[in-house]
Amino acid sequence: MTAELLPNARSKAANQKIGLIGVGRMGTGMGLCLLRHQVELHIKANKSRFGADRLAAAGAREHPSIAELAPHVSAVVLSLPSSREVEAVCLGQDGLFVHMSRGGLIIDCTTSYPGSTVALAEQAQKRGLAFIDAPVTRSPEQAELGLLNAIVGSNETLFPAAEGILATFCETVLHVGDVGKGHELKLVYNSMTMGIAAVASEVCQLANALGIDLVTLRSLVSRGSTNSGIFQAFVAFLLGEKPDVLAVSIANSAKDIGCAVRLAGESAVSVPILAATAHKLNNAVAGGKGELTLPHLSHP
């Protein structure tokens, strides 16, 4: 595993023709960084125009379909909700696998399911393309500042080319193994995040029910090994200090923890606490909270 960036890695993407599919909040930040590094950026809009309009105003070239975007680029970055959308973008008569030129590189920054990733990589190879996983951590705000962390699953040959692109919007690029390993590690990482979030939400509810002041609780927790960034974020949200903290939806969180539990089952690993977390998040989605951000779990 490596975390080093080559000294000139941030200039490697300059003048490349790169596609970006998925211009939501995270993807928009990635795209702005790519443009700042003199990339010729090609995009396809989401249902919401906000990200596409920002990127177009900054110099990106918009296309009405993937089929029209694909021939213009040598690499494509995907920033999508799940494996389902990634598969839809890659497969089919209008997808990247049909319309992208041979030798092209597809970098999936989505939090996708590893089994799907490996299958797509095998199909891409048959088409003369390369498909690798590079899920990212941190927030949309940090994406715009070029401060994400990428967790890359690829072979040694493809990694340098991917690193040069990822370094435009990432502070750290970790090469963690072959294709699929990036998504495995991201799911493990996210499952820890969601597990701590579930505990933090219930602890905050319990403190409130007992009349314990959250400022006092935070002061105590901050002094011990129980402290965590997730707990601090929940308290900051509940106190109104940071209303936009942890701006990941409960629905997306439920998707990620569900993938982690599924992966554990396929690996014959018992994860009852993670399974309970998945159940809690799914119940929140069923209760109409899916589009709310993760700290809203702390509300009854």
Side-chain angles (χ1 to χ4, degrees):
M1 182 182 297
T2 61
E4 298 81 18
L5 290 178
L6 298 176
N8 64 342
R10 291 188 179 275
S11 65
K12 285 184 176 180
N15 301 317
Q16 287 192 47
K17 297 179 180 181
I18 297 174
L20 174 63
I21 299 176
V23 290
R25 293 187 65 208
M26 189 71 84
T28 298
M30 294 174 178
L32 290 169
C33 286
L34 286 162
L35 287 166
R36 285 198 293 269
H37 284 80
Q38 289 77 55
V39 164
E40 183 182 303
L41 185 66
H42 296 257
I43 63 170
K44 179 186 177 297
N46 286 6
K47 291 181 181 178
S48 167
R49 290 285 322 166
F50 179 74
D53 288 343
R54 282 193 73 192
L55 291 171
R61 306 182 185 188
E62 185 178 348
H63 300 272
S65 69
I66 294 167
E68 294 191 34
L69 177 152
H72 294 279
V73 300
S74 59
V76 175
V77 175
L78 306 180
S79 179
L80 297 164
S82 71
S83 291
R84 180 181 303 174
E85 288 80 8
V86 173
E87 290 169 0
V89 161
C90 290
L91 304 174
Q93 290 306 304
D94 293 325
L96 290 173
F97 286 5
V98 172
H99 295 280
M100 199 170 177
S101 299
R102 292 180 67 86
L105 172 64
I106 302 168
I107 304 173
D108 183 17
C109 293
T110 310
T111 301
S112 297
Y113 195 72
S116 172
T117 301
V118 172
L120 285 171
E122 291 172 350
Q123 293 179 65
Q125 187 174 25
K126 295 175 182 177
R127 301 270 189 168
L129 302 170
F131 183 99
I132 68 170
D133 46 320
V136 294
T137 67
R138 295 186 171 172
S139 68
E141 291 75 20
Q142 288 167 312
E144 194 163 332
L145 295 172
L147 296 176
L148 297 179
N149 300 315
I151 310 166
V152 184
S154 78
N155 62 38
E156 295 288 346
T157 302
L158 291 171
F159 178 65
E163 181 189 41
I165 295 170
L166 293 165
T168 64
F169 51 81
C170 292
E171 180 179 44
T172 304
V173 181
L174 297 171
H175 186 201
V176 298
D178 213 338
V179 172
K181 291 300 180 182
H183 281 142
E184 286 183 356
L185 180 53
K186 179 66 187 300
L187 288 176
V188 169
Y189 174 89
N190 277 14
S191 67
M192 181 180 291
T193 299
M194 305 317 167
I196 295 171
V199 171
S201 71
E202 293 183 2
V203 164
C204 289
Q205 288 177 345
L206 178 59
N208 181 62
L210 296 174
I212 295 172
D213 179 60
L214 283 180
V215 174
T216 303
L217 177 61
R218 177 168 64 183
S219 177
L220 177 63
V221 172
S222 297
R223 289 169 166 78
S225 58
T226 304
N227 192 27
S228 76
I230 300 296
F231 169 79
Q232 293 289 344
F234 268 70
V235 173
F237 171 81
L238 289 170
L239 293 175
E241 298 168 352
K242 296 181 179 179
D244 297 325
V245 73
L246 287 180
V248 57
S249 73
I250 292 174
N252 200 47
S253 301
K255 181 266 295 183
D256 288 356
I257 191 70
C259 285
V261 171
R262 176 184 167 192
L263 189 62
E266 292 176 356
S267 304
V269 177
S270 177
V271 288
I273 294 174
L274 297 184
T277 301
H279 181 70
K280 179 181 180 68
L281 288 166
N282 284 328
N283 280 347
V285 173
K289 293 184 176 182
E291 297 308 310
L292 299 177
T293 59
L294 196 56
H296 284 85
L297 280 178
S298 52
H299 292 320

